[in-house]
Amino acid sequence: MAPLTGAQIVARSLRGLGVTVIFGIVGIPVVEIAEEAINRGIKFIGFRNEQAAGYAASAYGYLTGRPGVCLVVGGPGILHAVPGVGNSTVNAFPFLLLAGSSETHLIAKGAFQELDAISFLTPHTKLALRPPSLDAIPEAIENAYRTAWYGRPGPSFIDLPADIIQATLSSPVDLPSTSPLPTPPKPSADEPTLFKVAQLLKTARSPLIVIGKGAAYGCASESITSLVSQTQIPFLSTPMGKGVLPDSHPLNAASARSTALKEADLVLLLGARLNWILHFGSPPKWSPRAKFVQIDIDPNTLGANAADPALAIHGDLATVIPQLQSHLSTWRYNQDSSSYTADLLAAKERNLATAAKRASDTTIPMTHSAALSAIERTLYALSPPDEGNIVYVSEGANTMDISRSIFPVSHPRRRLDAGTHATMGVGMGYAIAAYVAYNGLGSQPGEAAVGVGGVDGGGSRKRKHKKIVCIEGDSAFGFSAMEVETMARYGMDVLIFVINNGGVYHGDADDVQHWDALQQSTLFPSNHETGEANPGLRSTSLSFGTQYEGLA
């Protein structure tokens, strides 16, 4: 058997695990790994910034259900990729970060891009390790990959010194190999707790189901659809839980969200956490009498904030929900048992009327609601939500919040946003990840390429090409706008809308003359010694009328 370099062993190990795409930025010494990966049929997506590459890899892990892989240089490359690590941790996305480092004999000597990455990342990852030798590389990569994937998904890290990458194993006959891992174990629930939860549901006057992005990641759509159909309990989705059940479902209480939260007395949380997105389960948003039942793959989140630990269920949603249904038997929520259902319907009618009025606003400059509604009507006509052929990526303050209720989603994992950390700058990386996950590379608008990705299957079957649509605030777009060049380089037909209001949250002016005057007051202030209010540009200001389309 021919000798193998460390770079070749890394590439071979990744390929053996089934990795088909790597996101990142190369440099010395990791460029050798990227080249060997390409030689073995792994696609390498080269970014303009490690931050966007890390976001892309983490989102790819969420979309495909297997760890996304990111490759960067050591030192500053790792520092730039840390946001991807944090994003993976907070959102529970499976993510494997590989990075180069200086030669082992130069540690603590001020070597090129030297950083003690193991010490730095150990507190922030599920596993951080450095293979001590060439023959230890396959096991190290497999351990890190499995750890990122199994249990609560999250980040793992492997440090690869230059002398390991560039060394040669002259006799690799006994070198361990890797192979695709089985899917993670799916824990089930204990029957006494399920019985207790079923009894609470049966006696609830105003029950509510909350669907989180954990349900989308856990492929629990079929089970949850069956549960809602059987019980007729109203439901809400968190921003990235949208699409597990279609937004058009008659029991969707999203348009009456405030009423549902205030009146619900028994809340079933499916892959959702009682964090800031759900107001911690606390009054005044929620009723003080509400009881919360959590079902989650992560035991550390159970019983947090207002949730009752005695009603917490650690388990896989697609496994536990059928168990719960067996305890509920033929029970169905009686919608006439209280005013709850009528209150939801009344609130929904009021709120939809208000939304329609905002959408028809003819004010110039356009409002967020009017602009986004015009985009939605056009996209709806081109590709109805039931077809599931549009994947939305949204970030920004007002842009993301308002668009969430305007663009309907009917399939899981068709909407990505700033997530649990409300992270600005994820948009372009997420869009690239979605494109690769759903379409692969080298696809035409009619069909998706085969062999890369895995969201909707693969093998020899052709998949319908998905249109990736980014709804971007102008401030959020600026974080990763250069990745438009990455999209162009790899032939990705991503559609980007920038809602340009000239500022963070809002702009300072409605016309260029007013903005110019504010700029002059900023550049040449006359009151810098008096302490009086300066009429110039505020801290939220961006340039007026920037033509972002020029990037494309």
Side-chain angles (χ1 to χ4, degrees):
M1 187 174 182
L4 292 174
T5 66
Q8 290 173 321
I9 296 171
V10 171
R12 190 180 82 157
S13 300
L14 291 171
R15 186 63 181 173
L17 287 166
V19 172
T20 58
V21 60
I22 297 173
F23 306 88
I25 297 181
V26 297
I28 297 171
V30 298
V31 63
E32 298 176 34
I33 295 174
E35 290 301 312
E36 292 298 340
I38 293 171
N39 293 341
R40 290 184 174 271
I42 298 175
K43 302 292 186 181
F44 182 83
I45 310 297
F47 280 70
R48 303 303 298 267
N49 186 289
E50 290 95 346
Q51 179 173 309
Y55 288 147
S58 67
Y60 184 84
Y62 167 73
L63 292 169
T64 63
R66 292 176 178 271
V69 179
C70 183
L71 176 67
V72 299
V73 298
I78 293 171
L79 296 177
H80 292 167
V82 164
V85 173
N87 196 60
S88 165
T89 298
V90 173
N91 289 289
F93 294 167
F95 173 53
L96 174 58
L97 177 63
L98 307 176
S101 62
S102 51
E103 293 86 342
T104 52
H105 68 278
L106 296 178
I107 290 175
K109 291 187 176 182
F112 176 70
Q113 295 186 333
E114 183 177 353
L115 174 71
D116 183 0
I118 297 296
S119 297
F120 178 59
L121 286 175
T122 293
H124 306 291
T125 57
K126 295 179 70 179
L127 179 67
L129 52 84
R130 176 188 298 116
S133 60
L134 292 176
D135 57 3
I137 290 175
E139 182 180 5
I141 290 177
E142 181 176 306
N143 283 343
Y145 189 91
R146 184 185 61 252
T147 302
W149 191 15
Y150 281 26
R152 183 188 191 272
S156 290
F157 171 68
I158 296 182
D159 181 72
L160 297 164
D163 48 338
I164 293 289
I165 293 173
Q166 297 167 349
T168 299
L169 187 64
S170 57
S171 301
V173 176
D174 297 325
L175 182 71
S177 61
T178 59
S179 58
L181 298 173
T183 57
K186 300 183 183 300
S188 59
D190 64 279
E191 297 298 331
T193 304
L194 285 170
F195 176 80
K196 187 188 305 183
V197 169
Q199 296 307 113
L200 287 171
L201 282 171
K202 290 178 180 180
T203 57
R205 292 177 57 81
S206 46
L208 179 68
I209 293 173
V210 176
I211 302 169
K213 68 173 175 284
Y217 175 81
C219 299
S221 182
E222 184 176 340
S223 297
I224 296 174
T225 299
S226 175
L227 175 67
V228 171
S229 177
Q230 172 188 333
T231 62
Q232 293 294 294
I233 296 175
F235 70 90
L236 287 172
S237 299
T238 63
M240 283 178 59
K242 283 167 63 74
V244 172
L245 267 68
D247 285 344
S248 59
H249 196 290
L251 290 172
N252 185 6
S255 297
R257 187 178 188 272
S258 296
T259 300
L261 268 56
K262 288 180 179 178
E263 295 193 16
D265 63 354
L266 195 286
V267 183
L268 185 60
L269 298 164
L270 304 180
R273 291 172 281 176
L274 286 176
N275 53 24
W276 66 274
I277 295 174
L278 291 175
H279 313 289
F280 315 104
S282 302
K285 294 290 186 179
W286 291 92
S287 167
R289 61 189 175 89
K291 292 183 178 181
F292 295 90
V293 176
Q294 282 181 285
I295 304 177
D296 204 285
I297 196 69
D298 179 16
N300 294 322
T301 68
L302 299 176
N305 296 324
D308 186 348
L311 300 176
I313 297 175
H314 174 225
D316 172 73
L317 286 172
T319 302
V320 173
I321 289 173
Q323 289 182 277
L324 177 60
Q325 286 181 272
S326 67
H327 282 272
L328 292 170
S329 186
T330 60
W331 175 82
R332 174 173 291 198
Y333 172 59
N334 180 8
Q335 298 186 0
D336 297 325
S337 62
S338 70
S339 62
Y340 177 55
T341 302
D343 292 344
L344 291 178
L345 291 174
K348 183 182 294 188
E349 290 180 4
R350 290 193 305 270
N351 293 335
L352 289 175
T354 300
K357 183 177 180 180
R358 290 173 177 166
S360 61
D361 190 334
T362 57
T363 301
I364 300 295
M366 298 177 75
T367 65
H368 279 84
S369 292
L372 294 168
S373 295
I375 296 169
E376 186 276 329
R377 289 191 297 271
T378 304
L379 293 177
Y380 190 105
L382 293 170
S383 181
D386 288 348
E387 296 179 358
N389 290 325
I390 294 179
V391 181
Y392 291 102
V393 177
S394 182
E395 63 173 336
N398 297 321
T399 299
M400 182 178 67
D401 292 342
I402 296 171
S403 69
R404 181 171 59 246
S405 60
I406 290 177
F407 293 89
V409 182
S410 296
H411 297 266
R413 302 180 302 283
R414 297 299 196 275
R415 184 182 186 278
L416 301 170
D417 68 14
T420 305
H421 246 178
T423 307
M424 296 299 108
V426 298
M428 299 301 98
Y430 276 17
I432 292 169
Y435 188 94
V436 178
Y438 282 103
N439 299 324
L441 292 179
S443 64
Q444 298 297 320
E447 291 182 331
V450 172
V452 177
V455 176
D456 289 335
S460 62
R461 183 173 63 86
K462 290 288 186 179
R463 308 192 306 275
K464 180 71 174 178
H465 185 93
K466 301 289 188 291
K467 190 69 174 181
I468 313 302
V469 176
C470 295
I471 311 294
E472 295 280 311
D474 52 348
S475 174
F477 181 60
F479 281 79
S480 58
M482 272 308 298
E483 302 306 337
V484 170
E485 187 276 328
T486 305
M487 296 173 183
R489 191 176 354 122
Y490 292 103
M492 301 178 182
D493 60 324
V494 176
L495 179 58
I496 303 169
F497 293 95
V498 178
I499 306 303
N500 187 356
N501 65 353
V504 181
Y505 306 115
H506 55 78
D508 289 344
D510 289 338
D511 59 67
V512 67
Q513 290 80 15
H514 183 199
W515 192 90
D516 285 344
L518 294 175
Q519 184 189 44
Q520 290 300 306
S521 294
T522 298
L523 298 177
F524 308 103
S526 59
N527 60 344
H528 61 279
E529 294 180 352
T530 66
E532 297 175 2
N534 188 310
L537 299 172
R538 310 320 302 168
S539 61
T540 57
S541 297
L542 297 174
S543 295
F544 185 89
T546 301
Q547 294 179 296
Y548 294 104
E549 69 275 11
L551 281 171

